[in-house]
């Protein structure tokens, strides 16, 4: 603009900034002020693949009126939000164990336990088990949503057949 602004500050609700002072707080025409804020990335930010936010700069003109502008994502003059992309590294691990009595044979039941751990950095949802050998499809893991580092469990039963015994296991 063409007038000096005073009391210039920044508001950005997405990152929790309100009335962040700009230095210098008095800006003559063509002058630039700076403000810095820190934001701690949350799990929901990683799950979303990034953060989109926009700040508002507000100052007071010589007639005591507010003057404001929305932030731009670069040096253009369009009021467009800043997009900060975050890498997502989904990963999962499963451990399958069995519980069967010693000397089990045809008609006996094997109980399988599946421990599934989210080894990535993104929350996983709808986690389930498929195991064609024992006839399991879409077996739900509990809980069905696993945050990074969390483990869920599922169990399934399988009845030993004669062909299992003939095959040796």
């Amino acid at each position: 603009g063409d007038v000096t602004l005073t009391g210039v500050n920044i508001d950005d609700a997405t990152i929790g900034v309100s009335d962040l002072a700009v230095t210098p707080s008095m800006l003559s025409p063509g002058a630039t002020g700076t403000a810095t804020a820190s934001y701690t990335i949350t799990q929901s930010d990683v799950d979303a693949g990034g953060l989109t936010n926009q700040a508002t700069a507000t100052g007071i003109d010589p007639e005591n009126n507010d003057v404001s502008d929305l932030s731009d994502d670069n040096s253009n003059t369009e009021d467009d939000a800043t997009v900060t992309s975050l890498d997502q590294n989904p990963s999962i691990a499963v451990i399958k164990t069995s519980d069967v009595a010693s000397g089990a044979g045809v008609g006996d039941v094997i109980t399988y336990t599946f421990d599934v751990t989210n080894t990535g950095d993104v929350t996983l949802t709808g986690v389930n088990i498929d195991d064609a050998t024992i006839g399991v499809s879409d077996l739900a893991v509990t809980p069905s949503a696993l945050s990074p580092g969390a483990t869920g469990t599922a169990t399934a039963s399988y009845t030993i057949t004669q062909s299992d015994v003939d095959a040796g296991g």
Side-chain angles (χ1 to χ4, degrees), residues 31 52 63 105 110 147 150:
T52 300
E63 295 181 10
I110 302 171
S147 58

Side-chain angles (χ1 to χ4, degrees), residues 24-153:
S25 64
M26 182 184 311
L27 298 177
S28 57
T32 300
T34 303
T36 302
S38 296
Y39 174 77
T40 302
I41 297 169
T42 66
Q43 184 61 54
S44 61
D45 296 331
V46 176
D47 291 347
L51 177 70
T52 300
N53 66 310
Q54 193 164 35
T56 302
T58 304
I60 301 170
D61 72 10
E63 295 181 10
N64 209 32
N65 296 311
D66 283 347
V67 177
S68 64
D69 185 49
L70 291 172
S71 64
D72 307 321
D73 67 349
N74 55 32
S75 61
N76 67 27
T77 58
E78 295 179 26
D79 294 335
D80 44 2
T82 299
V83 177
T84 304
S85 297
L86 300 172
D87 291 336
Q88 294 178 316
N89 300 295
S91 180
I92 195 168
V94 61
I95 296 174
K96 177 183 174 183
T97 57
S98 64
D99 182 17
V100 62
S102 177
V106 175
D108 288 330
V109 175
I110 302 171
T111 300
Y112 289 101
T113 301
F114 302 89
D115 290 317
V116 181
T117 302
N118 181 347
T119 56
D121 65 359
V122 180
T123 300
L124 303 174
T125 59
V127 179
N128 62 58
I129 300 290
D130 292 330
D131 188 332
T133 303
I134 64 170
V136 170
S137 178
D138 292 327
L139 176 64
V141 172
T142 302
S144 64
L146 298 176
S147 58
T151 298
T153 304

Side-chain angles (χ1 to χ4, degrees), residues 7-12 17-22 34-36 55-58 69:
V8 181
N9 64 56
I10 302 289
D11 293 326
D12 187 333
V17 170
S18 179
D19 294 326
L20 177 65
V22 172
T34 303
T36 302
T56 302
T58 304
D69 185 49

